[in-house]
Amino acid sequence: MPVMHFHVRWPDASETRCYSPSQVVRDYLAPGQRYALDDFLQRTREALGIASERVRARYGFACSQAMDQLAEIEGIAARFAGDPEAEVAVLAFD
């Protein structure tokens, strides 16, 4: 299963390298795009959920690392929840 990483820039200009056990993230996010915070969260929840289920289908267990990554993303996003203008930029895939 091809692992990938995606790099994001948060509203405060900090950056995070995020993990996915599957390239399904490419179906939900695009490098160079900016997403409203809530839209970004919905897209990453869905993508990482699907990625985790792909691991389950192949190996018999969900990907805890994908769920840990989602928890980290949600924790960082919570800092900006009160800002209706908050956007997340997807910088790159690797």
Side-chain angles (χ1 to χ4, degrees):
M1 188 160 291
V3 168
M4 71 169 293
H5 292 90
F6 55 104
H7 300 258
V8 300
R9 180 176 298 128
W10 297 96
D12 65 356
S14 64
E15 296 180 8
T16 302
R17 181 177 187 240
C18 303
Y19 166 85
S20 174
S22 166
Q23 293 193 10
V24 70
V25 171
R26 293 179 184 275
D27 296 337
Y28 290 85
L29 301 172
Q33 294 295 313
R34 299 180 65 83
Y35 299 93
L37 184 64
D38 289 342
D39 185 31
F40 175 76
L41 287 172
Q42 180 171 345
R43 288 169 181 269
T44 55
R45 284 178 187 128
E46 191 165 343
L48 291 174
I50 290 169
S52 180
E53 287 306 310
R54 286 183 178 179
V55 170
R56 182 189 310 277
R58 184 160 186 184
Y59 299 106
F61 52 86
C63 180
S64 61
Q65 194 172 356
M67 296 299 93
D68 290 346
Q69 181 62 74
L70 180 57
E72 179 184 2
I73 288 169
E74 289 177 337
I76 294 169
R79 299 188 330 227
F80 310 107
D83 181 358
E85 302 294 318
E87 290 184 327
V88 180
V90 177
L91 303 176
F93 294 149
D94 63 43

